[in-house]
Structures are given as structure tokens and as C-alpha cells.
Amino acid sequence: MNQYIELAEKYSPNNYSPLNIVLTEGKGAHVKDSEGNIYIDCVSGFSVLNQGHAHPKIIQAFLEQSQKITMTSRALYSDNLGVWEEKICQLAHKDKVLPMNTGTEAVETAIKIATKWAQDVKGIDAFNAEIIAMEGNFHGRTIGSLSLSSNDQYKEGFGELAGNIKYSEFGNIESLKSNITSNTAAIILEPIQGEGGINIPPQNFIKNVKALCEEHNILLIADEIQVGLGRTGKLFAMEWEDIEPDVYLLGKALGGGLYPISAVIANDDIMQVLTPGTHGSTFGGNPLACAVSIAALDVLIEEKLPEQSRILGDKLLKGLKGIHSHIIKEVRGRGLFIGIELNKEAQDIVSEINAQGVLCKETQGNIIRLAPPLVIDEEDIDKIIEVIKQGIESHSL
Ligand SMILES: *Cc1c(COP(=O)(O)O)cnc(C)c1O
């Protein structure tokens, strides 16, 4: 076994089952392993690397800021916190943004805000406030976010989680309606489910959810941590149905692949439930995170990465749909966010595709997830199609 893998295996707990590949370098859409093999990266750190590996502009921002000041805590201001906040609020058309660090913390924050909003604004006892989540969701692994999970395997053995969560079938508005009560505070959903298997809801589902939320005065929280920031061919995946949620959650690519930063974005009428002392984070919104995120957002906009994702995603989807095999159940996706659902386990095919220079991994056992950096070029798209075609055909016998 590779020495790096051996060392990591010796000291890592057993909660992951990584591919047997050791990455040592990355540039744009490409990565190199410890044996010198080059791959097209279709994992992208799970959509963290929308701007590509080692983007020069993002590295530059990181280096410059790291020599000025990196940490202030929120006990003080920095000279770039407001700059970052204005940028993100303008992109999201919202009044306020609260920076956190990881995706799951943004989700936790949203749960807190929704619960307190239910109490302060709707007059629901906070202990009774209910949140509706979707079956097959993924919102993170800490206790609050994990409470939203409908996957018992994720929750088993971790004791009592946060309460009052109801589950609706993703894409089924009737199922959602039947869960609404006078205690419902919020509905949280991923506009397209990522971990769940690149699940795209039926047309108008999001619109209907929004209408229900308005009718019953319920907050709509869009977890765009994986699908936001250009991944699906729009800046926000909610735009596919022209809907603005009450709360956006961002993470992953918000830090340009260089530094963790997440965000909770909403209007004043919601954010006002947070008063001094009700929430905070030591690292949240630190100057280094803000500098990197400003550059990451600038790159997204200047290089028109959402549009790039749409155009190249269409090409990739079309190419993959052209592969005819009885082992393919469905190919689906939006932008450069594509799932190939097989009617058998995907692991062997994934290994072969990896060996041919396209890095990808399966989700849910039988779905190959493709999410390359949005800076990828057409030539690489053609190569991905070719490699996957060969991989699938050789396993179709
Ligand atoms: C990755 C992810 C999270 C959790 O983000 P972390 O940074 O891993 O905590 C939450 N929601 C969605 C939709 C995600 O894809």
C-alpha cells in the first residue's frame, strides 16, 4: 500500500472510505497524484472548487491578506468585513448576511434563527416550533443539522437529537401540505439534492413550496451550500424557478477552495431576532476568510462561471445521455452537476473511470456524481464523456 495512505489509515478513525488515490497538486480542473498521474477532477472537493484549484486571483488575495491581518474576532471590526457583506447581500438581494465557517454551522444558525423567529414573530413557543425537512436531504453532520436528516443510519448511536422535525417527500407538495401545522416555523430544502443523488424536483415544486410558505407565514430556507454559486448553471439554484427564499445558506465554493467560510443570508425582518449575545463564532467573518471570499465571488462573476456551467453542463449531459447501456437507469443534472444512476453498484465502474484519468465517486452506492470545477474546458468535457462511455460499456456485458 502507498506510504501516505498507510500513515493516514493508521491515525484516521474509520468514518471515511476514500479512493486509494493520494492527491499532491491541483491546478484549474486538474489534479496530480503521488505517482504523477493527472486526472480531470470531477469531485471538486464536493463542489468546493467551483473556481478551480489554485486560482491565481484567489491565492493572491489570500497571500496579501495573510500579511496584513488574519484574525480580529467579532469583538472588533475589520476593513473588509463590510466589503464582503455588501457584495454577498447584493448578489442575493438581501439586507443582511451572517458569516460562519462550515456548511453545517450555517445550517445550525438557520435552525436557531427560524426557531427564535417563530417565537418572537409568530408567537409560537420555541420548544414547540417545528421544522419541515425533505426526505433524502443532506444538511451536515453536527447535532442540529443531523437532526434534519431522514437517514437513520446517519443518526443511529448519537442519542437524542434536536426535536420537532417532520419529513416530507422531496418533490411532493401534498406530502408537504400534510406536515404543516400552526407550529411550523420553517421549511428547509436543497433546491436540488446533492448527497441524496442529484435529485431534481418536478417543475414548479419550488414555486409551490414558496406559495405555501407565504400562505402560512413559514420561512423558506434554501440550503445552497452545494448547489449554489454557479454549480447548476445559475448563481443560485433557486433561480431555476425564479424563486427567492427567505434564507439562503452558502458554504463550500464561497471560500474559493482555499479557506472555509459559510453564510446565512436573509432580510432584516428575519435577522432582527438575533440580538447581542444570541449567536456568534470566533472565526466567522475573519479578515482572511473575507478577503478570500471576496476574490472567490469576483472570480465567479468576472469569469461568468454560472453561464460556463450551464453551457458546458448541457454539453456534458447531452454526451452522457448519448451513452446507451442497459446498466444506465437515468442520467440527470443541471449545469455541471450531473448524476448517472445505474441499476447496479457503481464502485467497479468508478474505479475504472478513475484509472482512465477522470476522478469521480459514487453517491448512494449506484449513482456516479460528476461536479467538475466550473473553469473546465470543452476538451476535458469530451474526454470525460469518452472515458465514462468506455467504463460503462466495458461493464455492460
Ligand atoms: C456539504 C453540505 C453541507 C455541510 O457542509 P460542511 O461544510 O461539510 O459542514 C450542508 N448542506 C449541504 C447541501 C451540503 O452539500
Side-chain angles (χ1 to χ4, degrees), residues 119-391:
Q119 177 184 272
D120 295 359
V121 177
K122 279 187 91 171
I124 301 168
D125 181 340
F127 286 95
N128 296 330
E130 294 168 1
I131 293 178
I132 302 176
M134 300 296 137
E135 280 164 13
N137 72 69
F138 184 83
H139 297 297
R141 298 289 197 167
T142 54
I143 296 292
S145 308
L146 187 61
S147 307
L148 299 171
S149 178
S150 61
N151 184 336
D152 290 336
Q153 199 199 329
Y154 288 179
K155 297 191 283 191
E156 205 282 316
F158 297 116
E160 187 169 14
L161 302 176
N164 303 337
I165 311 294
K166 293 184 163 185
Y167 301 103
S168 292
E169 190 190 332
F170 187 55
N172 180 342
I173 199 74
E174 295 307 321
S175 160
L176 192 54
K177 269 186 199 160
S178 67
N179 272 332
I180 292 175
T181 72
S182 55
N183 286 332
T184 308
I187 295 170
I188 183 165
L189 54 78
E190 300 151 87
I192 296 174
Q193 291 185 335
E195 291 306 299
I198 323 289
N199 300 324
I200 304 171
Q203 186 73 33
N204 289 329
F205 174 66
I206 303 283
K207 246 186 205 119
N208 292 333
V209 175
K210 173 77 177 173
L212 269 185
C213 286
E214 280 176 357
E215 184 187 341
H216 297 276
N217 194 22
I218 294 167
L219 297 183
L220 176 54
I221 304 170
D223 180 345
E224 296 241 10
I225 291 166
Q226 185 159 166
V227 293
L229 301 176
R231 174 50 60 192
T232 72
K234 307 262 188 192
L235 186 61
F236 297 104
M238 293 295 277
E239 288 173 49
W240 282 103
E241 291 201 20
D242 279 324
I243 293 298
E244 296 200 351
D246 297 296
V247 182
Y248 283 109
L249 306 180
L250 292 178
K252 293 199 164 105
L254 190 58
L258 214 72
Y259 196 92
I261 179 167
S262 63
V264 182
I265 313 165
N267 278 339
D268 278 321
D269 57 333
I270 297 164
M271 285 295 203
Q272 50 91 17
V273 304
L274 295 180
T275 50
T278 50
H279 197 61
S281 161
T282 302
F283 288 98
N286 70 72
L288 187 57
C290 288
V292 167
S293 187
I294 289 168
L297 291 169
D298 285 348
V299 166
L300 271 179
I301 304 303
E302 283 163 12
E303 298 185 15
K304 299 193 169 64
L305 294 184
E307 195 181 324
Q308 192 68 0
S309 173
R310 194 161 63 241
I311 295 166
L312 293 178
D314 283 350
K315 183 176 160 76
L316 181 55
L317 191 63
K318 196 161 161 244
L320 295 171
K321 282 191 172 188
I323 303 173
H324 297 290
S325 163
H326 63 92
I327 67 166
I328 296 181
K329 195 168 160 203
E330 188 184 32
V331 180
R332 56 179 177 264
R334 287 236 165 102
L336 286 167
F337 196 55
I338 294 177
I340 306 169
E341 183 168 357
L342 306 178
N343 45 35
K344 63 185 228 174
E345 290 294 300
Q347 205 178 353
D348 290 348
I349 299 178
V350 163
S351 300
E352 180 163 333
I353 293 170
N354 290 336
Q356 296 306 316
V358 173
L359 214 53
C360 61
K361 202 166 182 334
E362 72 278 6
T363 181
Q364 306 295 319
N366 66 324
I367 303 166
I368 303 173
R369 169 168 42 183
L370 300 173
L374 310 184
V375 295
I376 194 170
D377 63 22
E378 280 200 44
E379 205 178 309
D380 280 341
I381 296 287
D382 289 334
K383 169 142 191 227
I384 295 170
I385 296 167
E386 193 47 43
V387 165
I388 290 179
K389 186 169 189 282
Q390 280 173 15

Side-chain angles (χ1 to χ4, degrees), residues 78-146:
S78 73
D79 57 0
N80 65 10
L81 176 65
V83 177
W84 174 79
E85 288 177 331
E86 180 177 52
K87 196 173 280 285
I88 196 136
C89 284
Q90 283 176 352
L91 287 174
H93 310 123
K94 298 282 185 207
D95 302 328
K96 295 280 195 285
V97 58
L98 180 58
M100 299 297 288
N101 310 286
T102 60
T104 196
E105 284 176 289
V107 173
E108 298 271 341
T109 305
I111 295 172
K112 282 179 71 176
I113 292 173
T115 304
K116 194 153 190 299
W117 176 86
Q119 177 184 272
D120 295 359
V121 177
K122 279 187 91 171
I124 301 168
D125 181 340
F127 286 95
N128 296 330
E130 294 168 1
I131 293 178
I132 302 176
M134 300 296 137
E135 280 164 13
N137 72 69
F138 184 83
H139 297 297
R141 298 289 197 167
T142 54
I143 296 292
S145 308
L146 187 61

